[in-house]
Amino acid sequence: MTKKVLLINGSPREHGNTRLALDEVAHTLEQAGIATQTIDLGKHAVQGCIACGWCGRTGRCTFNDALYSKVQTAVAGGIDGLVVGSPVYYGGPNGSLCALMDRVCYSLGRHLAYKPAASVVVCRRGGASAAFDRLNKYFTILNMPVVSSQYWNMVYGQTQGEAAKDEEGMQTMRTLGRNMAWMISRLDVAELPLPEQEQRVWTNFIR
């Protein structure tokens, strides 16, 4: 069965530098025989999580908007890896992307556990490592192995298409694609026994 990676473009510019970086990853994955699907955040208005607990009871977010529905369909349908990309705003990812990821990870986390994941950030000059760290936190709380590259997964560029001139950044994207393909081929979640799970303990630091 063909493996599949979902890529989420968290930029409001569907054909901007973030998409350019993600396309480099996707192209490399496809060369390795892995199918890809990219969902663009674009200029969609995204509702943030309201901590209502509906997803815990039903398995889906109470706000079943078109964008969330696309991600839910892809994730629940079976993916083998996830790549999330964002431009850098004030040293962090796009707020709309974080609003979507809060809901996706909280409601669909059981489908994402043990699937390799990576984040990609694009900036004009600074803040990339902070945004990169912020996105990786989604993966490390969901038992998702984080895929590394030859450098932190960042590309530089401001005007449309400028990211293509960042030769090291684009090479980092290709290395990321090859590393993810390699990890997916050796970490078949459907076939390998998963680590033993303890009963979850919840501790609130209020005394």
Side-chain angles (χ1 to χ4, degrees):
M1 181 178 294
T2 302
K3 302 296 184 180
K4 180 180 179 181
V5 169
L6 174 66
L7 300 96
I8 299 177
N9 175 18
S11 173
R13 297 184 175 91
E14 294 183 14
H15 304 290
N17 288 315
T18 303
R19 180 60 190 255
L20 194 64
L22 290 174
D23 282 349
E24 196 76 2
V25 179
H27 179 65
T28 305
L29 286 166
E30 288 166 2
Q31 286 182 323
I34 295 178
T36 65
Q37 176 187 358
T38 301
I39 295 176
D40 295 295
L41 187 71
K43 294 179 175 62
H44 290 279
V46 182
Q47 169 67 50
C49 177
I50 60 171
C52 65
W54 179 254
C55 62
R57 296 190 293 273
T58 67
R60 63 178 178 81
C61 181
T62 188
F63 299 110
N64 195 28
D65 53 80
L67 190 62
Y68 172 86
S69 182
K70 283 184 181 180
V71 178
Q72 180 190 36
T73 299
V75 171
I79 61 171
D80 300 284
L82 175 67
V83 181
V84 179
S86 177
V88 175
Y89 296 155
Y90 290 94
N94 181 0
S96 294
L97 174 64
C98 291
L100 176 66
M101 290 300 294
D102 286 349
R103 291 164 55 204
V104 165
C105 291
Y106 202 65
S107 62
L108 303 174
R110 66 192 183 283
H111 296 294
L112 296 172
Y114 303 104
K115 308 290 180 67
S119 60
V120 167
V121 294
V122 177
C123 70
R124 182 192 71 83
R125 185 170 178 85
S129 58
F132 179 62
D133 176 65
R134 172 73 174 84
L135 289 175
N136 284 336
K137 285 183 168 64
Y138 287 111
F139 313 140
T140 56
I141 202 172
L142 292 177
N143 292 305
M144 300 179 75
V146 178
V147 184
S148 61
S149 186
Q150 65 190 43
Y151 195 77
W152 297 305
N153 303 332
M154 55 187 69
V155 178
Y156 288 86
Q158 181 179 24
T159 59
Q160 185 172 348
E162 193 171 24
K165 299 177 182 178
D166 181 4
E167 295 183 9
E168 182 178 357
M170 298 307 280
Q171 185 181 64
T172 300
M173 297 300 101
R174 293 191 296 273
T175 302
L176 173 61
R178 285 190 291 269
N179 287 353
M180 176 164 273
W182 177 85
M183 186 177 288
I184 288 173
S185 70
R186 285 155 178 77
L187 185 64
D188 193 330
V189 176
E191 299 294 334
L192 292 173
L194 298 179
E196 180 182 350
Q197 299 293 305
E198 295 184 19
Q199 183 176 353
R200 186 68 181 264
V201 175
W202 299 93
T203 303
N204 300 321
F205 289 94
I206 299 175
R207 299 290 185 266

